[in-house]
């Protein structure tokens, strides 16, 4: 029952454009030539729409679920849609790119955005890198361009810096250090108060 309005779509397009331009400019600071093709108005064959009628993971709002199986089901449904409807090889050849990241925009609110890269699930392996980005955190706050850039960076291997991860070697000492010394780091995560259209990424 979550229908996209033209205003909702413009908000998502606007945030994505700001986030990608930010990543391109940040790449230059590190001597890297970053080329991101994300304008689906200009390249409409890169945009797809599909419906999902099961409980959506996340703890905010009606119809959301904290059940881990619901997360697994959503990821599988998305990956299955990609494999059945999108020709990865054709897109990579047409646009001369060496990788594709799938951004799944959800016209609803939730208290989290999340990314899944490569293998996921115990009994099935996927190799498409995807990120789910909700339109709003709640009724008062839109998801901002910082979050879009944060989730895209996950698809390139960046790790969250706000919780420990034994597998990634991210210790409590390291998390505390980052929180103290790099308070505006984009991988710490951020959100903006007020339903406003931010015009820039404020993280570093």
């Amino acid at each position: 029952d979550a229908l996209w309005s033209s205003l909702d779509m413009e908000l998502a397009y606007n945030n994505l454009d700001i986030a990608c331009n930010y990543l391109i400019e940040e790449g230059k600071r590190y001597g890297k030539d970053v080329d991101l093709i994300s304008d689906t108005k200009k390249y409409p064959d890169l945009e797809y729409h599909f419906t999902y009628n099961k409980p959506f993971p996340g703890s905010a709002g009606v119809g959301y679920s904290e059940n881990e199986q619901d997360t697994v089901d959503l990821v599988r449904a998305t990956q299955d849609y990609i494999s059945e409807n999108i020709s990865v090889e054709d897109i990579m050849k047409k646009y001369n790119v060496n990788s594709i990241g799938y951004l799944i925009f959800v016209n609803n609110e939730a208290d989290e955005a999340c990314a899944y890269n490569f293998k996921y699930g115990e009994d099935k392996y996927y190799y498409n890198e995807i990120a789910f980005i909700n339109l709003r955190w709640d009724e008062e706050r839109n998801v901002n361009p910082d979050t879009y850039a944060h989730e895209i960076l996950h698809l390139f291997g960046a790790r969250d810096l706000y919780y420990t991860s034994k597998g990634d070697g991210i210790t409590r000492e390291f998390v505390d250090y980052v929180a103290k010394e790099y308070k505006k780091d984009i991988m710490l995560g951020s959100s903006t108060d007020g339903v406003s259209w931010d015009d820039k990424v404020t993280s570093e």
Side-chain angles (χ1 to χ4, degrees):
D1 60 351
L3 300 177
W4 282 92
S5 69
S6 58
L7 189 66
D8 290 340
M9 294 182 72
E10 282 302 317
L11 176 58
Y13 291 138
N14 182 68
N15 283 346
L16 181 59
D17 185 55
I18 292 170
C20 288
N21 286 334
Y22 163 83
L23 293 172
I24 290 170
E25 290 303 311
E26 285 297 296
K28 292 178 182 177
R29 295 181 57 219
Y30 292 89
K32 301 297 181 181
D33 183 16
V34 180
D35 184 18
L36 300 174
I37 301 171
S38 61
D39 186 350
T40 59
K41 289 183 178 179
K42 186 175 180 180
Y43 306 106
D45 60 325
L46 297 180
E47 180 174 315
Y48 298 78
H49 294 251
F50 71 98
T51 57
Y52 186 75
N53 295 317
K54 292 183 178 181
F56 197 86
S59 58
V62 177
Y64 285 83
S65 169
E66 295 184 55
N67 188 326
E68 185 176 345
Q69 185 59 46
D70 291 329
T71 299
V72 173
D73 290 345
L74 174 62
V75 173
R76 284 177 175 165
T78 304
Q79 295 279 10
D80 289 345
Y81 179 89
I82 292 171
S83 64
E84 294 168 8
N85 296 278
I86 303 175
S87 174
V88 176
E89 294 80 7
D90 289 347
I91 290 176
M92 292 180 70
K93 183 177 181 180
K94 178 178 178 180
Y95 291 95
N96 191 30
V97 296
N98 57 15
S99 64
I100 298 173
Y102 295 91
L103 304 180
I104 316 302
F105 296 100
V106 182
N107 178 28
N108 215 321
E109 61 187 57
D111 61 355
E112 61 182 19
C114 53
Y116 301 95
N117 49 336
F118 289 106
K119 297 180 181 180
Y120 185 82
E122 295 181 0
D123 59 345
K124 195 166 187 178
Y125 293 95
Y126 296 106
Y127 294 92
N128 298 310
E129 297 183 296
I130 62 176
F132 293 94
I133 301 176
N134 299 291
L135 196 64
R136 298 179 180 86
W137 296 118
D138 51 45
E139 291 183 0
E140 302 298 324
R141 299 174 301 156
N142 291 335
V143 172
N144 55 353
D146 296 62
T147 300
Y148 283 56
H150 172 109
E151 298 303 329
I152 292 170
L153 282 167
H154 275 313
L155 304 185
F156 286 91
R159 294 293 183 259
D160 286 319
L161 299 179
Y162 52 82
Y163 67 86
T164 61
S165 173
K166 188 175 181 180
D168 291 326
I170 300 177
T171 63
R172 169 52 54 188
E173 181 181 29
F174 179 74
V175 169
D176 291 343
Y177 175 78
V178 171
K180 180 180 178 182
E181 299 294 333
Y182 298 95
K183 296 179 181 179
K184 295 188 69 177
D185 192 287
I186 195 164
M187 298 316 293
L188 281 173
S190 62
S191 62
T192 302
D193 291 332
V195 181
S196 62
W197 287 47
D198 301 333
D199 60 358
K200 63 181 180 180
V201 173
T202 58
S203 300
E204 296 174 352

